[in-house]
């Protein structure tokens, strides 16, 4: 019986493991190797250059601009999205009487908030490009209606990156409203009732009851949003002038990687960017998960 069980486990796991190695781990290994070459995309023309590609990254001003912009996205997008998501989820669940029942029609609100998730990120970027249009866009049209002159949002170096951030936040917040709502649903009702009996207000209930008990969900949300912020390729590619402009104001690492590989034929250099982005993402995930465990241990 034991041998039959092991044969069954091996038959179930080995094909999946082989597919994972071939289609997931193998491309990673190839990318690491290519980052040490000067490959131009032509078979047989890769020469080993060691860490020269990585040394060039430190001197590439456009890549450094991309790193700076990704860092700003990494700070702003997760924090603002999580804050809005937690606020809306808390209002939907804690806004009714009794401190727990939630407001009327909360399910319909969640559907409305979730709607952007039904659209691909490229479609979202195209729609918001029309919204930001300086001549006949919805945003500037609304400003003109109240007597204000709207700027050229995506052509201004100081406004282009915040405009991209706003799109990323708008497209993500609905999913996290639903996610945090599900986490709040898992909190025992008795805890909210006890807080209400003790005279705790809405903010105190959120800070002392809701937030500690959804901390794990917030931690996971931060990791996923951080990964999205480190990418941001699709939105920048579709929405911005250049793309990556104006004057590198919206340049991100993913866009620099794409341009060097598929426009300039510098696949080895682009692979070095990809490896750097991989380790940045891995570091973010490790720090977020370890920080969450330390916080949980401190609370315990």
């Amino acid at each position: 019986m034991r041998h039959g069980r092991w044969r069954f486990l091996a038959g179930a796991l080995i094909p999946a493991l082989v597919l994972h190695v071939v289609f997931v781990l193998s491309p990673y290994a190839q990318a690491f190797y290519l980052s040490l070459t000067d490959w131009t995309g032509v078979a047989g023309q890769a020469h080993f250059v060691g860490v020269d590609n990585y040394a060039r990254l430190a001197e590439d001003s456009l890549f450094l601009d991309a790193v700076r912009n990704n860092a700003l996205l990494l700070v702003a997008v997760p924090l603002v999205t999580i804050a809005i998501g937690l606020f809306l989820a808390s209002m939907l669940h804690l806004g009714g009487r009794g401190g727990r029942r939630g407001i009327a029609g909360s399910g319909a609100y969640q559907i409305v908030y979730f709607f952007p998730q039904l659209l691909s990120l490229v479609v979202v970027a195209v729609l918001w490009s029309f919204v930001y249009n300086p001549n006949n866009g919805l945003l500037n049209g609304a400003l003109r209606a109240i007597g204000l002159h709207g700027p050229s949002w995506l052509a201004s170096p100081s406004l282009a990156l915040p405009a991209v951030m706003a799109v990323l936040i708008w497209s993500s917040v609905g999913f996290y409203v639903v996610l945090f709502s599900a986490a709040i649903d898992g909190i025992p009702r008795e805890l909210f009732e006890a807080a209400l009996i003790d005279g705790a207000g809405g903010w105190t209930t959120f800070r002392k009851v809701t937030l500690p008990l959804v901390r794990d969900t917030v931690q996971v949300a931060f990791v996923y949003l951080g990964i999205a912020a480190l990418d941001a390729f699709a939105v920048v590619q579709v929405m911005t002038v250049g793309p990556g402009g104006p004057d590198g104001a919206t340049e991100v690492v993913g866009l620099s990687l794409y341009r060097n590989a598929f426009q300039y034929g510098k696949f080895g250099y682009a692979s070095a960017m990809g490896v750097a982005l991989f380790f940045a993402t891995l570091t973010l995930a490790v720090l977020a998960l370890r920080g969450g465990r330390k916080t949980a241990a401190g609370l315990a």
Side-chain angles (χ1 to χ4, degrees), residues 127-172:
L127 292 176
W128 276 89
S129 297
F130 291 123
V131 172
Y132 284 134
N133 188 293
N135 298 318
N136 52 13
L138 179 63
L139 185 55
N140 279 2
L143 292 176
R144 283 194 295 269
I146 58 175
L148 298 177
H149 177 71
S152 182
W153 298 94
L154 297 175
S156 170
S158 61
L159 295 176
L161 188 62
V164 171
M165 290 181 185
V167 174
L168 290 172
I169 293 168
W170 179 87
S171 65
S172 302

Side-chain angles (χ1 to χ4, degrees), residues 3-4 43 68-69 105 107 133 161 168 181 185 194 203 211 269 289 300:
H3 293 296
R68 178 202 63 198
N69 293 334
N133 188 293
L161 188 62
L168 290 172
S181 295
D185 281 336
W203 169 245
L211 186 57
Y269 187 49
L289 294 175

